[in-house]
Amino acid sequence: MVQPTPAHFFQTVNAYQQSAAIKASIELGVFTAVGEGYDTAESLAARCSASVKGMRVLCDFLVIHQFLTKEGDRYGLAPDAAMFLDKNSRMYAGGIVGFLLLPEIRQAFDDFTAVVRRGGTVLSEGGTMSYEHPVWKDFARSMMPMMIPPAEAIASIVKANEKAPMKVLDLAAGHGIFGITIARHNPNARIHAVDWAPVLVIAREHATASGVADRWHALEGSAFDVEFGGDYDLALITNFHHHFSPSTIETLMRKVHKALKPEGMAVTLEFVPNDDRVSPPDAASFSLVMLGTTEKGDAYTFAEYQKMYQNSGFAHNEMHRLDGSPQSVIVSRR
Amino acid sequence: MVQPTPAHFFQTVNAYQQSAAIKASIELGVFTAVGEGYDTAESLAARCSASVKGMRVLCDFLVIHQFLTKEGDRYGLAPDAAMFLDKNSRMYAGGIVGFLLLPEIRQAFDDFTAVVRRGGTVLSEGGTMSYEHPVWKDFARSMMPMMIPPAEAIASIVKANEKAPMKVLDLAAGHGIFGITIARHNPNARIHAVDWAPVLVIAREHATASGVADRWHALEGSAFDVEFGGDYDLALITNFHHHFSPSTIETLMRKVHKALKPEGMAVTLEFVPNDDRVSPPDAASFSLVMLGTTEKGDAYTFAEYQKMYQNSGFAHNEMHRLDGSPQSVIVSRR
C-alpha cells in the first residue's frame, strides 16, 4: 500500500481546470494547428492568436494530460488527439465541447450539494431533458461523429447487410446517424425518425449527405406524443432512456412494443453499468451526469432494463458491450 | 498501442464534475459519516440530510474516483479519504475546497481561451495575488494541515533540532506553520512573520496553540513594502514566488539577501517542475493555476530559480524534492 497523500484529492478539486483547458484548446484550434505542423509554443501562439506564455502553459498541461507529446520544445499530437481533436480528421469530435460545456449544462453542477440533497437536477424546467431546449440542436451537430462506431455496430447487430426489407423507427433520432447508417448498409430499409422539428432539420441534412433521403422520413414531435404508425421491423432507442424514470421508460417501451411487428426487435443504445454500479467507470459515472442534469434520469443496469422491458412486453433481452465505447446495445424481442 | 478512443477526451471535458462531486461530498460530510460507520446510501442519506438516490450516485462516483470503497452495497473510506477527508482525522484537509473552489477562483477559468490569448489572468485587480484579497484568510485556515509535512521537512533541513540561536524571517507567512514548526523544534528560534494583518491574526492563533507565541512576532504588511530589519539566520519564502514575474522575484530576493547575515540561508518552498516542464505532473500543472489566477505568475524550473537567485546575490542553490509532496525546497546561500 502506497502512503496516503493529498495529491489525488487536490487533483480532483482542481479537475475543473482540465475542462477549461481542453475547451480552450479546441476553441483556439491548438490540435488542428499541431496537426498542420506548428509545433512550438511560439509558432502555435502566432497561428492561434494567443500569447506565447499562455500557449506554452496550455500545451504543457495538454502533455501532462496525454493529449499532446513533447520532445525538447516540440509538441506533437497524441493518438487520441490526432483522431478526435484535429479538425482535419474525419473523426473530429472537438465540437462536443460546444454542447457539453454550455453554461446551461455546467451550471447544473454549480451547487451539486443541492443536487444530492434533492436527488435530481436543480435546473428549472426539468433540466436539459425539456424537448425544446436549444442544447439538443448543438448536440445533434457535434455528437454525430462520435456515434459512427456504435451506429456501425448496431447496423451489424441488426444484419443490415443482408438487405431484407426493414421498416425502422428511429426514436429521438437527433443527428439521425443510427437510422441513416442502417439505410446506408441496407437499400431496402426505410427510416422513420422521430424528434423535435429543429433537430430533424439537421438529421435530414445528414440523410441527404449520405444519399438516403428518399428512404428517410421525419416524424416531428416528442416520442411520447407523436403517432408512430405500425408494422415496424426495428425500433432504435439510442441515448434516450437515461433521461427518464423507470415508469416513463416502461410507458414508452409499451408504445414501441405496439408499433413493432410480432417478430420485430427493439435495439437500445445506453450507458449500462454492471450491477455493482461502479464499473465500467465511464458507463457508471454517467449516472452523475443524469443526476445533475435531469429530474429522474439515471444510468440503469441491465437487470433494471430487463425488468422494465419485461414489464413492457419484451420477454427476451440480451446485452452486447461495444468495444472501445462506454456504451452497450440491448436487443429486445417479445 | 491501444486503439484511440474518445473516452479520455470525454472524461476531460466532464472533469469539472469531479470538482463538483468532491466539493459536495465535503459539504455534506460524506467522508466523516462513512468514518462514523454509516455505510449504505440509505443510512448516509439520512445522516447527511440528502436524498437516497443522490447519495447513491455520489458515493458510486466517489468509488469510481477511488475516494471510497464498495463491497456489495456498503461503502468504506479509501486510505486517502480516511486520512485527509474525514473530519475526525488529525490530517483533515477537506476545508481547502472552501478556498480552492471559491467562485472568485473558479471564474478565473470560465473563459480560459481569453486567458491563453492574454498570457495571464482575466480577473480584475491582478487576480488572487492582490494582497488584501479575502481569499488569503480562507487559505490560511484551510491549507495549514496540508503544510505540516513540508513544514517538518524544512525544520529538518535547517537543523532546527540542533537548537542553535536562530532569527527567522517568515515571508508571506499565511497560516504561519513554517516558522511555527521551526520554533517548536528549536526553543532558541525567534520568528518574525510577515503578512497582511488579518492573515497574521490566524497565524498568531496557531503560534499560541503551539506554545511559541512568546518567540513569534508579527510584521504586518506586504513583503515588498515592510521593513524586515536585519541579522536573520534564515528566511523562509514558502508558496509565494509563484505569483510573480522573475524580475519581481529578484527584487524581493535582493531585499531578503540584505536582511540575512553573511552566513544566512534562504529556504524556498515551491512547485518546481523539471526542465521539460511536464514532470512531475502536479508540480508542472501548477503553472496552469498561476496562468489562470495571476498576472505574471508561473511554476518556475530550478534552472530559472537558480538564475533569479544568482542575480539576487545567492551564488549557491540546491534543491530537495519532498517525498509524498508535489513541492520542492530550495536552499540558497551567498
mmCIF file with all atom_site columns, all heavy atoms in Angstrom, chain A residues 8 10 27 51 53 56 65 113 116 146 297-298, chain B residues 8 10 27 51 53 56 65 113 116 146 297-298:
data_model
loop_
_atom_site.group_PDB
_atom_site.id
_atom_site.type_symbol
_atom_site.label_atom_id
_atom_site.label_alt_id
_atom_site.label_comp_id
_atom_site.label_asym_id
_atom_site.label_entity_id
_atom_site.label_seq_id
_atom_site.pdbx_PDB_ins_code
_atom_site.Cartn_x
_atom_site.Cartn_y
_atom_site.Cartn_z
_atom_site.occupancy
_atom_site.B_iso_or_equiv
_atom_site.pdbx_formal_charge
_atom_site.auth_seq_id
_atom_site.auth_comp_id
_atom_site.auth_asym_id
_atom_site.auth_atom_id
_atom_site.pdbx_PDB_model_num
ATOM 1   N N   . HIS A 1 8   ? -4.101  13.237 -4.831  1.00 0.00 ? 8   HIS A N   1
ATOM 2   C CA  . HIS A 1 8   ? -5.267  12.868 -5.634  1.00 0.00 ? 8   HIS A CA  1
ATOM 3   C C   . HIS A 1 8   ? -6.472  13.752 -5.293  1.00 0.00 ? 8   HIS A C   1
ATOM 4   O O   . HIS A 1 8   ? -7.253  14.134 -6.171  1.00 0.00 ? 8   HIS A O   1
ATOM 5   C CB  . HIS A 1 8   ? -5.583  11.382 -5.407  1.00 0.00 ? 8   HIS A CB  1
ATOM 6   C CG  . HIS A 1 8   ? -6.779  10.894 -6.130  1.00 0.00 ? 8   HIS A CG  1
ATOM 7   N ND1 . HIS A 1 8   ? -6.961  11.072 -7.480  1.00 0.00 ? 8   HIS A ND1 1
ATOM 8   C CD2 . HIS A 1 8   ? -7.893  10.251 -5.703  1.00 0.00 ? 8   HIS A CD2 1
ATOM 9   C CE1 . HIS A 1 8   ? -8.125  10.550 -7.846  1.00 0.00 ? 8   HIS A CE1 1
ATOM 10  N NE2 . HIS A 1 8   ? -8.707  10.052 -6.783  1.00 0.00 ? 8   HIS A NE2 1
ATOM 11  N N   . PHE A 1 10  ? -6.291  16.891 -4.240  1.00 0.00 ? 10  PHE A N   1
ATOM 12  C CA  . PHE A 1 10  ? -6.018  18.171 -4.915  1.00 0.00 ? 10  PHE A CA  1
ATOM 13  C C   . PHE A 1 10  ? -6.363  18.116 -6.399  1.00 0.00 ? 10  PHE A C   1
ATOM 14  O O   . PHE A 1 10  ? -6.980  19.018 -6.955  1.00 0.00 ? 10  PHE A O   1
ATOM 15  C CB  . PHE A 1 10  ? -4.525  18.531 -4.783  1.00 0.00 ? 10  PHE A CB  1
ATOM 16  C CG  . PHE A 1 10  ? -4.238  19.475 -3.672  1.00 0.00 ? 10  PHE A CG  1
ATOM 17  C CD1 . PHE A 1 10  ? -3.877  18.991 -2.427  1.00 0.00 ? 10  PHE A CD1 1
ATOM 18  C CD2 . PHE A 1 10  ? -4.326  20.838 -3.860  1.00 0.00 ? 10  PHE A CD2 1
ATOM 19  C CE1 . PHE A 1 10  ? -3.605  19.857 -1.385  1.00 0.00 ? 10  PHE A CE1 1
ATOM 20  C CE2 . PHE A 1 10  ? -4.050  21.713 -2.830  1.00 0.00 ? 10  PHE A CE2 1
ATOM 21  C CZ  . PHE A 1 10  ? -3.690  21.228 -1.584  1.00 0.00 ? 10  PHE A CZ  1
ATOM 22  N N   . GLU A 1 27  ? -11.202 25.606 -28.792 1.00 0.00 ? 27  GLU A N   1
ATOM 23  C CA  . GLU A 1 27  ? -11.616 26.928 -29.291 1.00 0.00 ? 27  GLU A CA  1
ATOM 24  C C   . GLU A 1 27  ? -10.468 27.637 -30.012 1.00 0.00 ? 27  GLU A C   1
ATOM 25  O O   . GLU A 1 27  ? -10.685 28.337 -30.999 1.00 0.00 ? 27  GLU A O   1
ATOM 26  C CB  . GLU A 1 27  ? -12.132 27.792 -28.132 1.00 0.00 ? 27  GLU A CB  1
ATOM 27  C CG  . GLU A 1 27  ? -13.486 27.312 -27.612 1.00 0.00 ? 27  GLU A CG  1
ATOM 28  C CD  . GLU A 1 27  ? -13.986 28.088 -26.389 1.00 0.00 ? 27  GLU A CD  1
ATOM 29  O OE1 . GLU A 1 27  ? -13.223 28.914 -25.837 1.00 0.00 ? 27  GLU A OE1 1
ATOM 30  O OE2 . GLU A 1 27  ? -15.133 27.841 -25.993 1.00 0.00 ? 27  GLU A OE2 1
ATOM 31  N N   . SER A 1 51  ? -1.003  34.301 -26.698 1.00 0.00 ? 51  SER A N   1
ATOM 32  C CA  . SER A 1 51  ? 0.297   34.688 -26.150 1.00 0.00 ? 51  SER A CA  1
ATOM 33  C C   . SER A 1 51  ? 1.207   33.464 -26.112 1.00 0.00 ? 51  SER A C   1
ATOM 34  O O   . SER A 1 51  ? 0.737   32.330 -25.991 1.00 0.00 ? 51  SER A O   1
ATOM 35  C CB  . SER A 1 51  ? 0.115   35.221 -24.724 1.00 0.00 ? 51  SER A CB  1
ATOM 36  O OG  . SER A 1 51  ? -0.341  34.167 -23.892 1.00 0.00 ? 51  SER A OG  1
ATOM 37  N N   . LYS A 1 53  ? 3.361   32.732 -23.736 1.00 0.00 ? 53  LYS A N   1
ATOM 38  C CA  . LYS A 1 53  ? 3.338   32.127 -22.399 1.00 0.00 ? 53  LYS A CA  1
ATOM 39  C C   . LYS A 1 53  ? 2.076   31.294 -22.197 1.00 0.00 ? 53  LYS A C   1
ATOM 40  O O   . LYS A 1 53  ? 2.136   30.156 -21.718 1.00 0.00 ? 53  LYS A O   1
ATOM 41  C CB  . LYS A 1 53  ? 3.420   33.196 -21.313 1.00 0.00 ? 53  LYS A CB  1
ATOM 42  C CG  . LYS A 1 53  ? 3.386   32.564 -19.926 1.00 0.00 ? 53  LYS A CG  1
ATOM 43  C CD  . LYS A 1 53  ? 3.458   33.584 -18.821 1.00 0.00 ? 53  LYS A CD  1
ATOM 44  C CE  . LYS A 1 53  ? 3.232   32.898 -17.475 1.00 0.00 ? 53  LYS A CE  1
ATOM 45  N NZ  . LYS A 1 53  ? 3.224   33.866 -16.370 1.00 0.00 ? 53  LYS A NZ  1
ATOM 46  N N   . ARG A 1 56  ? 2.380   28.092 -24.164 1.00 0.00 ? 56  ARG A N   1
ATOM 47  C CA  . ARG A 1 56  ? 3.349   27.167 -23.560 1.00 0.00 ? 56  ARG A CA  1
ATOM 48  C C   . ARG A 1 56  ? 2.728   26.453 -22.355 1.00 0.00 ? 56  ARG A C   1
ATOM 49  O O   . ARG A 1 56  ? 2.805   25.221 -22.245 1.00 0.00 ? 56  ARG A O   1
ATOM 50  C CB  . ARG A 1 56  ? 4.604   27.966 -23.129 1.00 0.00 ? 56  ARG A CB  1
ATOM 51  C CG  . ARG A 1 56  ? 5.738   27.135 -22.581 1.00 0.00 ? 56  ARG A CG  1
ATOM 52  C CD  . ARG A 1 56  ? 5.834   27.193 -21.062 1.00 0.00 ? 56  ARG A CD  1
ATOM 53  N NE  . ARG A 1 56  ? 6.197   28.510 -20.559 1.00 0.00 ? 56  ARG A NE  1
ATOM 54  C CZ  . ARG A 1 56  ? 6.123   28.829 -19.271 1.00 0.00 ? 56  ARG A CZ  1
ATOM 55  N NH1 . ARG A 1 56  ? 5.710   27.942 -18.361 1.00 0.00 ? 56  ARG A NH1 1
ATOM 56  N NH2 . ARG A 1 56  ? 6.454   30.044 -18.868 1.00 0.00 ? 56  ARG A NH2 1
ATOM 57  N N   . HIS A 1 65  ? -1.661  15.780 -19.567 1.00 0.00 ? 65  HIS A N   1
ATOM 58  C CA  . HIS A 1 65  ? -2.924  15.034 -19.654 1.00 0.00 ? 65  HIS A CA  1
ATOM 59  C C   . HIS A 1 65  ? -3.023  14.202 -20.932 1.00 0.00 ? 65  HIS A C   1
ATOM 60  O O   . HIS A 1 65  ? -4.108  13.791 -21.331 1.00 0.00 ? 65  HIS A O   1
ATOM 61  C CB  . HIS A 1 65  ? -4.107  15.984 -19.471 1.00 0.00 ? 65  HIS A CB  1
ATOM 62  C CG  . HIS A 1 65  ? -4.190  16.482 -18.063 1.00 0.00 ? 65  HIS A CG  1
ATOM 63  N ND1 . HIS A 1 65  ? -4.778  15.747 -17.062 1.00 0.00 ? 65  HIS A ND1 1
ATOM 64  C CD2 . HIS A 1 65  ? -3.687  17.589 -17.471 1.00 0.00 ? 65  HIS A CD2 1
ATOM 65  C CE1 . HIS A 1 65  ? -4.661  16.403 -15.922 1.00 0.00 ? 65  HIS A CE1 1
ATOM 66  N NE2 . HIS A 1 65  ? -4.003  17.519 -16.137 1.00 0.00 ? 65  HIS A NE2 1
ATOM 67  N N   . THR A 1 113 ? -24.139 20.044 -4.099  1.00 0.00 ? 113 THR A N   1
ATOM 68  C CA  . THR A 1 113 ? -24.666 19.673 -2.784  1.00 0.00 ? 113 THR A CA  1
ATOM 69  C C   . THR A 1 113 ? -26.194 19.708 -2.810  1.00 0.00 ? 113 THR A C   1
ATOM 70  O O   . THR A 1 113 ? -26.852 18.770 -2.322  1.00 0.00 ? 113 THR A O   1
ATOM 71  C CB  . THR A 1 113 ? -24.108 20.634 -1.721  1.00 0.00 ? 113 THR A CB  1
ATOM 72  O OG1 . THR A 1 113 ? -22.681 20.476 -1.691  1.00 0.00 ? 113 THR A OG1 1
ATOM 73  C CG2 . THR A 1 113 ? -24.676 20.345 -0.346  1.00 0.00 ? 113 THR A CG2 1
ATOM 74  N N   . VAL A 1 116 ? -27.552 16.669 -4.748  1.00 0.00 ? 116 VAL A N   1
ATOM 75  C CA  . VAL A 1 116 ? -27.530 15.413 -3.979  1.00 0.00 ? 116 VAL A CA  1
ATOM 76  C C   . VAL A 1 116 ? -28.633 15.427 -2.923  1.00 0.00 ? 116 VAL A C   1
ATOM 77  O O   . VAL A 1 116 ? -29.303 14.414 -2.698  1.00 0.00 ? 116 VAL A O   1
ATOM 78  C CB  . VAL A 1 116 ? -26.140 15.185 -3.344  1.00 0.00 ? 116 VAL A CB  1
ATOM 79  C CG1 . VAL A 1 116 ? -26.138 13.946 -2.457  1.00 0.00 ? 116 VAL A CG1 1
ATOM 80  C CG2 . VAL A 1 116 ? -25.080 15.049 -4.434  1.00 0.00 ? 116 VAL A CG2 1
ATOM 81  N N   . MET A 1 146 ? -18.909 11.088 -33.168 1.00 0.00 ? 146 MET A N   1
ATOM 82  C CA  . MET A 1 146 ? -18.591 10.142 -32.102 1.00 0.00 ? 146 MET A CA  1
ATOM 83  C C   . MET A 1 146 ? -19.484 8.916  -32.164 1.00 0.00 ? 146 MET A C   1
ATOM 84  O O   . MET A 1 146 ? -19.165 7.885  -31.588 1.00 0.00 ? 146 MET A O   1
ATOM 85  C CB  . MET A 1 146 ? -18.854 10.780 -30.745 1.00 0.00 ? 146 MET A CB  1
ATOM 86  C CG  . MET A 1 146 ? -18.323 12.144 -30.581 1.00 0.00 ? 146 MET A CG  1
ATOM 87  S SD  . MET A 1 146 ? -16.603 12.068 -30.168 1.00 0.00 ? 146 MET A SD  1
ATOM 88  C CE  . MET A 1 146 ? -16.732 11.236 -28.602 1.00 0.00 ? 146 MET A CE  1
ATOM 89  N N   . GLY A 1 297 ? -33.534 10.968 -14.340 1.00 0.00 ? 297 GLY A N   1
ATOM 90  C CA  . GLY A 1 297 ? -32.728 10.083 -15.171 1.00 0.00 ? 297 GLY A CA  1
ATOM 91  C C   . GLY A 1 297 ? -31.658 9.342  -14.393 1.00 0.00 ? 297 GLY A C   1
ATOM 92  O O   . GLY A 1 297 ? -31.371 9.647  -13.233 1.00 0.00 ? 297 GLY A O   1
ATOM 93  N N   . ASP A 1 298 ? -31.063 8.332  -15.054 1.00 0.00 ? 298 ASP A N   1
ATOM 94  C CA  . ASP A 1 298 ? -30.044 7.518  -14.393 1.00 0.00 ? 298 ASP A CA  1
ATOM 95  C C   . ASP A 1 298 ? -29.322 6.679  -15.455 1.00 0.00 ? 298 ASP A C   1
ATOM 96  O O   . ASP A 1 298 ? -29.751 6.599  -16.609 1.00 0.00 ? 298 ASP A O   1
ATOM 97  C CB  . ASP A 1 298 ? -30.717 6.594  -13.371 1.00 0.00 ? 298 ASP A CB  1
ATOM 98  C CG  . ASP A 1 298 ? -29.807 6.206  -12.215 1.00 0.00 ? 298 ASP A CG  1
ATOM 99  O OD1 . ASP A 1 298 ? -28.567 6.354  -12.339 1.00 0.00 ? 298 ASP A OD1 1
ATOM 100 O OD2 . ASP A 1 298 ? -30.338 5.764  -11.187 1.00 0.00 ? 298 ASP A OD2 1
ATOM 101 N N   . HIS B 1 8   ? -11.094 9.281  -23.194 1.00 0.00 ? 8   HIS B N   1
ATOM 102 C CA  . HIS B 1 8   ? -10.278 10.168 -22.369 1.00 0.00 ? 8   HIS B CA  1
ATOM 103 C C   . HIS B 1 8   ? -10.653 11.637 -22.615 1.00 0.00 ? 8   HIS B C   1
ATOM 104 O O   . HIS B 1 8   ? -10.676 12.451 -21.683 1.00 0.00 ? 8   HIS B O   1
ATOM 105 C CB  . HIS B 1 8   ? -8.802  9.920  -22.672 1.00 0.00 ? 8   HIS B CB  1
ATOM 106 C CG  . HIS B 1 8   ? -7.862  10.809 -21.935 1.00 0.00 ? 8   HIS B CG  1
ATOM 107 N ND1 . HIS B 1 8   ? -7.912  10.968 -20.562 1.00 0.00 ? 8   HIS B ND1 1
ATOM 108 C CD2 . HIS B 1 8   ? -6.864  11.616 -22.367 1.00 0.00 ? 8   HIS B CD2 1
ATOM 109 C CE1 . HIS B 1 8   ? -6.972  11.822 -20.194 1.00 0.00 ? 8   HIS B CE1 1
ATOM 110 N NE2 . HIS B 1 8   ? -6.343  12.240 -21.268 1.00 0.00 ? 8   HIS B NE2 1
ATOM 111 N N   . PHE B 1 10  ? -13.676 12.708 -23.497 1.00 0.00 ? 10  PHE B N   1
ATOM 112 C CA  . PHE B 1 10  ? -14.933 12.895 -22.764 1.00 0.00 ? 10  PHE B CA  1
ATOM 113 C C   . PHE B 1 10  ? -14.689 13.106 -21.279 1.00 0.00 ? 10  PHE B C   1
ATOM 114 O O   . PHE B 1 10  ? -15.265 13.993 -20.656 1.00 0.00 ? 10  PHE B O   1
ATOM 115 C CB  . PHE B 1 10  ? -15.830 11.660 -22.934 1.00 0.00 ? 10  PHE B CB  1
ATOM 116 C CG  . PHE B 1 10  ? -16.860 11.811 -23.997 1.00 0.00 ? 10  PHE B CG  1
ATOM 117 C CD1 . PHE B 1 10  ? -16.606 11.352 -25.273 1.00 0.00 ? 10  PHE B CD1 1
ATOM 118 C CD2 . PHE B 1 10  ? -18.082 12.404 -23.726 1.00 0.00 ? 10  PHE B CD2 1
ATOM 119 C CE1 . PHE B 1 10  ? -17.551 11.480 -26.269 1.00 0.00 ? 10  PHE B CE1 1
ATOM 120 C CE2 . PHE B 1 10  ? -19.032 12.533 -24.713 1.00 0.00 ? 10  PHE B CE2 1
ATOM 121 C CZ  . PHE B 1 10  ? -18.769 12.076 -25.994 1.00 0.00 ? 10  PHE B CZ  1
ATOM 122 N N   . GLU B 1 27  ? -18.969 19.124 1.674   1.00 0.00 ? 27  GLU B N   1
ATOM 123 C CA  . GLU B 1 27  ? -20.014 19.967 2.261   1.00 0.00 ? 27  GLU B CA  1
ATOM 124 C C   . GLU B 1 27  ? -21.073 19.129 2.981   1.00 0.00 ? 27  GLU B C   1
ATOM 125 O O   . GLU B 1 27  ? -21.614 19.540 4.007   1.00 0.00 ? 27  GLU B O   1
ATOM 126 C CB  . GLU B 1 27  ? -20.666 20.835 1.174   1.00 0.00 ? 27  GLU B CB  1
ATOM 127 C CG  . GLU B 1 27  ? -19.732 21.932 0.673   1.00 0.00 ? 27  GLU B CG  1
ATOM 128 C CD  . GLU B 1 27  ? -20.300 22.761 -0.474  1.00 0.00 ? 27  GLU B CD  1
ATOM 129 O OE1 . GLU B 1 27  ? -21.382 22.395 -1.014  1.00 0.00 ? 27  GLU B OE1 1
ATOM 130 O OE2 . GLU B 1 27  ? -19.664 23.758 -0.835  1.00 0.00 ? 27  GLU B OE2 1
ATOM 131 N N   . SER B 1 51  ? -30.934 13.033 -0.340  1.00 0.00 ? 51  SER B N   1
ATOM 132 C CA  . SER B 1 51  ? -31.800 12.004 -0.912  1.00 0.00 ? 51  SER B CA  1
ATOM 133 C C   . SER B 1 51  ? -31.013 10.702 -1.050  1.00 0.00 ? 51  SER B C   1
ATOM 134 O O   . SER B 1 51  ? -29.792 10.713 -1.219  1.00 0.00 ? 51  SER B O   1
ATOM 135 C CB  . SER B 1 51  ? -32.275 12.449 -2.294  1.00 0.00 ? 51  SER B CB  1
ATOM 136 O OG  . SER B 1 51  ? -31.160 12.526 -3.166  1.00 0.00 ? 51  SER B OG  1
ATOM 137 N N   . LYS B 1 53  ? -31.238 8.576  -3.555  1.00 0.00 ? 53  LYS B N   1
ATOM 138 C CA  . LYS B 1 53  ? -30.720 8.442  -4.920  1.00 0.00 ? 53  LYS B CA  1
ATOM 139 C C   . LYS B 1 53  ? -29.474 9.302  -5.114  1.00 0.00 ? 53  LYS B C   1
ATOM 140 O O   . LYS B 1 53  ? -28.464 8.848  -5.656  1.00 0.00 ? 53  LYS B O   1
ATOM 141 C CB  . LYS B 1 53  ? -31.774 8.835  -5.947  1.00 0.00 ? 53  LYS B CB  1
ATOM 142 C CG  . LYS B 1 53  ? -31.235 8.706  -7.364  1.00 0.00 ? 53  LYS B CG  1
ATOM 143 C CD  . LYS B 1 53  ? -32.236 9.085  -8.421  1.00 0.00 ? 53  LYS B CD  1
ATOM 144 C CE  . LYS B 1 53  ? -31.564 9.127  -9.783  1.00 0.00 ? 53  LYS B CE  1
ATOM 145 N NZ  . LYS B 1 53  ? -32.491 9.553  -10.837 1.00 0.00 ? 53  LYS B NZ  1
ATOM 146 N N   . ARG B 1 56  ? -26.561 7.724  -3.352  1.00 0.00 ? 56  ARG B N   1
ATOM 147 C CA  . ARG B 1 56  ? -26.102 6.512  -4.043  1.00 0.00 ? 56  ARG B CA  1
ATOM 148 C C   . ARG B 1 56  ? -25.240 6.890  -5.256  1.00 0.00 ? 56  ARG B C   1
ATOM 149 O O   . ARG B 1 56  ? -24.138 6.363  -5.439  1.00 0.00 ? 56  ARG B O   1
ATOM 150 C CB  . ARG B 1 56  ? -27.315 5.685  -4.477  1.00 0.00 ? 56  ARG B CB  1
ATOM 151 C CG  . ARG B 1 56  ? -27.001 4.351  -5.108  1.00 0.00 ? 56  ARG B CG  1
ATOM 152 C CD  . ARG B 1 56  ? -27.134 4.348  -6.630  1.00 0.00 ? 56  ARG B CD  1
ATOM 153 N NE  . ARG B 1 56  ? -28.507 4.541  -7.087  1.00 0.00 ? 56  ARG B NE  1
ATOM 154 C CZ  . ARG B 1 56  ? -28.812 4.799  -8.358  1.00 0.00 ? 56  ARG B CZ  1
ATOM 155 N NH1 . ARG B 1 56  ? -27.862 4.938  -9.274  1.00 0.00 ? 56  ARG B NH1 1
ATOM 156 N NH2 . ARG B 1 56  ? -30.082 4.973  -8.705  1.00 0.00 ? 56  ARG B NH2 1
ATOM 157 N N   . HIS B 1 65  ? -13.801 7.131  -8.456  1.00 0.00 ? 65  HIS B N   1
ATOM 158 C CA  . HIS B 1 65  ? -12.638 8.013  -8.368  1.00 0.00 ? 65  HIS B CA  1
ATOM 159 C C   . HIS B 1 65  ? -11.778 7.719  -7.137  1.00 0.00 ? 65  HIS B C   1
ATOM 160 O O   . HIS B 1 65  ? -10.968 8.551  -6.718  1.00 0.00 ? 65  HIS B O   1
ATOM 161 C CB  . HIS B 1 65  ? -13.078 9.475  -8.445  1.00 0.00 ? 65  HIS B CB  1
ATOM 162 C CG  . HIS B 1 65  ? -13.554 9.823  -9.822  1.00 0.00 ? 65  HIS B CG  1
ATOM 163 N ND1 . HIS B 1 65  ? -12.703 10.149 -10.842 1.00 0.00 ? 65  HIS B ND1 1
ATOM 164 C CD2 . HIS B 1 65  ? -14.798 9.804  -10.364 1.00 0.00 ? 65  HIS B CD2 1
ATOM 165 C CE1 . HIS B 1 65  ? -13.394 10.352 -11.949 1.00 0.00 ? 65  HIS B CE1 1
ATOM 166 N NE2 . HIS B 1 65  ? -14.670 10.146 -11.700 1.00 0.00 ? 65  HIS B NE2 1
ATOM 167 N N   . THR B 1 113 ? -9.894  30.426 -22.788 1.00 0.00 ? 113 THR B N   1
ATOM 168 C CA  . THR B 1 113 ? -9.400  30.842 -24.100 1.00 0.00 ? 113 THR B CA  1
ATOM 169 C C   . THR B 1 113 ? -8.856  32.271 -24.019 1.00 0.00 ? 113 THR B C   1
ATOM 170 O O   . THR B 1 113 ? -7.767  32.560 -24.548 1.00 0.00 ? 113 THR B O   1
ATOM 171 C CB  . THR B 1 113 ? -10.545 30.741 -25.122 1.00 0.00 ? 113 THR B CB  1
ATOM 172 O OG1 . THR B 1 113 ? -10.931 29.368 -25.205 1.00 0.00 ? 113 THR B OG1 1
ATOM 173 C CG2 . THR B 1 113 ? -10.119 31.232 -26.496 1.00 0.00 ? 113 THR B CG2 1
ATOM 174 N N   . VAL B 1 116 ? -5.477  32.281 -22.221 1.00 0.00 ? 116 VAL B N   1
ATOM 175 C CA  . VAL B 1 116 ? -4.351  31.832 -23.054 1.00 0.00 ? 116 VAL B CA  1
ATOM 176 C C   . VAL B 1 116 ? -3.987  32.923 -24.073 1.00 0.00 ? 116 VAL B C   1
ATOM 177 O O   . VAL B 1 116 ? -2.812  33.173 -24.329 1.00 0.00 ? 116 VAL B O   1
ATOM 178 C CB  . VAL B 1 116 ? -4.686  30.499 -23.749 1.00 0.00 ? 116 VAL B CB  1
ATOM 179 C CG1 . VAL B 1 116 ? -3.569  30.077 -24.701 1.00 0.00 ? 116 VAL B CG1 1
ATOM 180 C CG2 . VAL B 1 116 ? -4.920  29.406 -22.701 1.00 0.00 ? 116 VAL B CG2 1
ATOM 181 N N   . MET B 1 146 ? -2.368  20.660 5.543   1.00 0.00 ? 146 MET B N   1
ATOM 182 C CA  . MET B 1 146 ? -1.655  20.076 4.406   1.00 0.00 ? 146 MET B CA  1
ATOM 183 C C   . MET B 1 146 ? -0.183  20.432 4.421   1.00 0.00 ? 146 MET B C   1
ATOM 184 O O   . MET B 1 146 ? 0.626   19.780 3.778   1.00 0.00 ? 146 MET B O   1
ATOM 185 C CB  . MET B 1 146 ? -2.212  20.626 3.094   1.00 0.00 ? 146 MET B CB  1
ATOM 186 C CG  . MET B 1 146 ? -3.694  20.644 3.009   1.00 0.00 ? 146 MET B CG  1
ATOM 187 S SD  . MET B 1 146 ? -4.272  19.044 2.525   1.00 0.00 ? 146 MET B SD  1
ATOM 188 C CE  . MET B 1 146 ? -3.521  18.949 0.920   1.00 0.00 ? 146 MET B CE  1
ATOM 189 N N   . GLY B 1 297 ? 2.441   35.148 -12.770 1.00 0.00 ? 297 GLY B N   1
ATOM 190 C CA  . GLY B 1 297 ? 2.991   34.031 -12.021 1.00 0.00 ? 297 GLY B CA  1
ATOM 191 C C   . GLY B 1 297 ? 3.243   32.806 -12.867 1.00 0.00 ? 297 GLY B C   1
ATOM 192 O O   . GLY B 1 297 ? 2.812   32.719 -14.022 1.00 0.00 ? 297 GLY B O   1
ATOM 193 N N   . ASP B 1 298 ? 3.972   31.837 -12.287 1.00 0.00 ? 298 ASP B N   1
ATOM 194 C CA  . ASP B 1 298 ? 4.329   30.631 -13.036 1.00 0.00 ? 298 ASP B CA  1
ATOM 195 C C   . ASP B 1 298 ? 4.877   29.592 -12.054 1.00 0.00 ? 298 ASP B C   1
ATOM 196 O O   . ASP B 1 298 ? 5.159   29.908 -10.893 1.00 0.00 ? 298 ASP B O   1
ATOM 197 C CB  . ASP B 1 298 ? 5.396   30.973 -14.086 1.00 0.00 ? 298 ASP B CB  1
ATOM 198 C CG  . ASP B 1 298 ? 5.358   30.041 -15.298 1.00 0.00 ? 298 ASP B CG  1
ATOM 199 O OD1 . ASP B 1 298 ? 4.762   28.941 -15.201 1.00 0.00 ? 298 ASP B OD1 1
ATOM 200 O OD2 . ASP B 1 298 ? 5.923   30.424 -16.335 1.00 0.00 ? 298 ASP B OD2 1
#
